[in-house]
């Protein structure tokens, strides 16, 4: 059973966003109540998630602040673009309200989750894809074919050097464009070229490619549903 490996896409934000949610549930006995205002801002690539509180005057008791953070962390597990994990976001809870009897951890976790999701919708969310460093060792006569093919794969050629009678082309190429590269390189060069690659970094997906990824993710979610 063979299938193309999955690309490890991530989501992030490119702007500031603000969200608010009031969780209120009344059933016999104690109810549930928690309200949170959360703002988010982009973090440096690779910094991960950071959470802080600017709540003043006890509008949310200090012992419930970690529950808001848990809600935000849960919101990071599936982003709003295509349901991929979210990275590099700073979330700040800055206001809210509580009820003396009905407030509890679960109420503030739910409020934090929904406030985070709303903020993310407003913060110009974007898709990120893994970029690979690739070195292709190729005989001279295939240079034009290989550089043209790498450009076609959205690659960015960095350097070309001579190594042991071969040309060594160093480039950065999105992982999504490289899954069948070994067999395609063999067919272009009659088996005379080789390559090596390793992960480099994450980069924002161009809009026209992102649209395809979002559509595919929506189809998969429908099939699961």
């Amino acid at each position: 059973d063979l299938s193309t490996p999955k690309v490890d896409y991530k989501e992030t934000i490119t702007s500031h966003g603000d969200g608010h949610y009031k969780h209120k549930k009344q059933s016999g006995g104690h109810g549930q109540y928690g309200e949170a205002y959360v703002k988010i801002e982009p973090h440096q690539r690779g910094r991960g998630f950071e959470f802080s509180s600017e709540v003043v005057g006890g509008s949310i008791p200090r012992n419930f602040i970690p529950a808001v953070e848990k809600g935000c962390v849960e919101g990071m597990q599936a982003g709003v673009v295509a349901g991929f994990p979210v990275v590099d976001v700073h979330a700040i809870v800055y206001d809210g309200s509580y009820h003396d009897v009905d407030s509890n951890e679960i109420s503030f976790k739910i409020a934090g989750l929904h406030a985070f999701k709303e903020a993310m919708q407003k913060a110009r969310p974007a898709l990120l894809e893994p970029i690979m460093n690739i070195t292709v060792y190729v005989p001279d006569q295939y240079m034009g074919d290989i550089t043209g093919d790498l450009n076609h794969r959205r690659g960015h050629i960095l350097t070309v050097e001579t190594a042991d009678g071969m040309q060594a082309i160093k480039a950065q190429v999105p992982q999504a464009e490289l899954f069948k590269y070994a067999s395609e390189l063999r067919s272009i060069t009659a088996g005379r070229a080789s390559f090596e690659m390793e992960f480099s970094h994450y980069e924002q997906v161009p809009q026209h490619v992102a649209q395809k990824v979002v559509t595919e993710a929506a189809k998969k979610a429908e099939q699961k549903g």
Side-chain angles (χ1 to χ4, degrees):
D1 181 18
L2 295 174
S3 64
T4 307
K6 283 195 186 109
V7 180
D8 189 18
Y9 290 108
K10 307 275 189 212
E11 295 183 24
T12 193
I13 55 170
T14 60
S15 181
H16 292 62
D18 207 300
H20 160 245
Y21 191 80
K22 183 190 282 189
H23 176 68
K24 197 174 180 181
K25 201 172 173 185
Q26 203 60 53
S27 52
H30 284 331
Q32 290 183 356
Y33 183 93
E35 181 179 30
Y37 288 82
V38 172
K39 57 186 176 183
I40 59 175
E41 58 191 26
H43 236 342
Q44 233 177 333
R45 192 75 64 244
R47 277 285 296 276
F49 174 69
E50 189 183 341
F51 179 84
S52 49
S53 168
E54 291 177 0
V55 172
V56 288
S59 56
I60 300 176
R62 283 172 65 178
N63 57 313
F64 291 136
I65 299 287
V68 178
E69 180 177 3
K70 277 184 193 162
C72 292
V73 169
E74 197 171 300
M76 300 267 295
Q77 287 168 16
V80 298
V81 179
F84 294 108
V86 180
V87 293
D88 305 331
V89 172
H90 180 201
I92 302 141
V93 58
Y94 65 93
D95 201 3
S97 67
Y98 72 102
H99 186 279
D100 284 335
V101 178
D102 292 346
S103 282
N104 54 22
E105 271 196 30
I106 191 74
S107 303
F108 277 101
K109 184 181 169 187
I110 291 166
L113 168 65
H114 288 285
F116 180 87
K117 290 278 193 188
E118 184 187 303
M120 196 166 166
Q121 293 274 13
K122 297 176 183 174
R124 298 218 321 267
L127 207 55
L128 298 174
E129 64 181 344
I131 305 293
M132 312 302 281
N133 282 330
I134 181 169
T135 306
V136 187
Y137 300 97
V138 60
D140 280 354
Q141 70 260 43
Y142 297 111
M143 272 288 292
D145 293 335
I146 297 304
T147 52
D149 181 63
L150 288 171
N151 285 327
H152 179 66
R153 293 171 190 274
R154 299 192 284 125
H156 173 55
I157 292 164
L158 304 174
T159 62
V160 179
E161 296 163 5
T162 305
D164 299 328
M166 304 275 269
Q167 297 295 330
I169 305 166
K170 289 184 188 291
Q172 291 190 327
V173 188
Q175 185 190 30
E177 307 288 342
L178 290 170
F179 284 127
K180 294 176 183 169
Y181 192 57
S183 59
E184 286 163 4
L185 182 65
R186 262 199 308 276
S187 69
I188 293 171
T189 63
R192 295 183 60 202
S194 63
F195 77 101
E196 52 195 42
M197 70 173 174
E198 61 179 12
F199 172 74
S200 171
H201 63 284
Y202 272 89
E203 214 167 85
Q204 198 168 323
V205 180
Q207 192 54 47
H208 67 286
V209 180
Q211 204 47 58
K212 284 183 198 164
V213 177
V214 170
T215 306
E216 274 172 33
K219 269 188 205 160
K220 279 178 190 162
E222 263 177 46
Q223 285 163 4
K224 275 186 190 171

